[in-house]
Amino acid sequence: MSFGNILLLIIVGIGAYLVAIYNKFVSLRAGIDAAWSDIDIQLKRRYDLIPALVDTVKGYKEYEADTLEKVIKARQVGLTAASVDEKAAAANMLSGALGKLFALAEAYPDLKANENFLHLQGELSRLEESIQNARRYYNAIVRDYNAKLESFPDLFVAQKFNFKPREYFQLDESEAEAVKKMPKIDL
């Protein structure tokens, strides 16, 4: 083999490696977008259940209106949130408000025994679990993507093609506590 052929093979090999790196970034980015879509769908399903829950609870006039207002406000903030950080903050706010709502329900035996309330509570508990699973998957892909952005020699491809780090969908302390306090419903 001549020096020219060896040089050509090296250039082709480097080019193929760079294309593979680029394609991996594209694949991870698509995975992040798909995982975020899953979270978004679960969040929308949760927001759609809130009006039915509020209507059920409103039937109990002595129930605390302040708690319901917080749930309604958190739902509205979640529906209008645009970025990952805004949606995470809204989800955290809603989880905290729902945790308080379910904790207060313990003081109202009639509400606690209401079939519609129990059904909605069960649905929300299942959705919380689905959201947590989707969040874990999303954060795992974001972690892999962000690590690849900083890895050598991948970081050169990332900089050249303007791949930017993605944000995690974080669980804050108040949401973690609210999720722990949410009752488990076995139907």
Side-chain angles (χ1 to χ4, degrees):
M1 280 190 129
S2 71
F3 178 73
N5 287 342
I6 293 173
L7 186 61
L8 182 62
L9 282 174
I10 291 172
I11 292 172
V12 168
I14 291 172
Y17 183 68
L18 293 176
V19 167
I21 291 172
Y22 176 83
N23 287 339
K24 183 64 176 179
F25 277 122
V26 170
S27 175
L28 285 170
R29 186 175 57 193
I32 290 169
D33 293 341
W36 178 252
S37 177
D38 289 345
I39 290 173
D40 207 28
I41 288 167
Q42 298 298 332
L43 290 174
K44 285 177 183 168
R45 288 180 61 206
R46 180 168 70 168
Y47 296 141
D48 289 346
L49 284 177
I50 299 302
L53 181 67
V54 168
D55 287 343
T56 300
V57 173
K58 274 185 181 175
Y60 294 83
K61 300 203 182 316
E62 69 276 359
Y63 207 75
E64 298 187 23
D66 182 51
T67 304
L68 290 177
E69 287 174 20
K70 287 179 182 174
V71 170
I72 293 167
K73 181 181 179 200
R75 176 185 183 265
Q76 192 58 39
V77 169
L79 289 172
T80 59
S83 72
V84 172
D85 279 344
E86 289 173 355
K87 286 189 184 260
N92 291 336
M93 185 187 327
L94 182 59
S95 291
L98 286 173
K100 288 177 186 168
L101 179 75
F102 292 136
L104 287 173
E106 297 295 319
Y108 297 93
D110 291 344
L111 176 61
K112 210 169 104 172
N114 181 296
E115 189 176 314
N116 194 30
F117 181 77
L118 289 174
H119 172 72
L120 291 168
Q121 190 177 25
E123 280 294 311
L124 284 168
S125 292
R126 283 189 289 280
L127 278 172
E128 289 297 329
E129 189 174 314
S130 295
I131 291 167
Q132 286 178 5
N133 290 336
R135 179 186 291 133
R136 277 189 219 106
Y137 180 69
Y138 172 82
N139 285 339
I141 293 177
V142 168
R143 180 197 63 231
D144 293 347
Y145 175 82
N146 287 345
K148 192 161 184 63
L149 285 175
E150 297 176 9
S151 300
F152 179 83
D154 300 358
L155 63 96
F156 298 118
V157 174
Q159 290 171 352
K160 173 71 175 159
F161 292 101
N162 207 25
F163 288 99
K164 299 290 183 200
R166 292 290 187 99
E167 302 169 20
Y168 291 100
F169 192 7
Q170 299 281 341
L171 184 73
D172 74 10
E173 293 304 315
S174 65
E175 183 182 7
E177 288 303 313
V179 168
K180 286 179 193 172
K181 291 178 184 176
M182 288 188 87
K184 297 291 181 200
I185 307 291
D186 295 322
L187 299 177

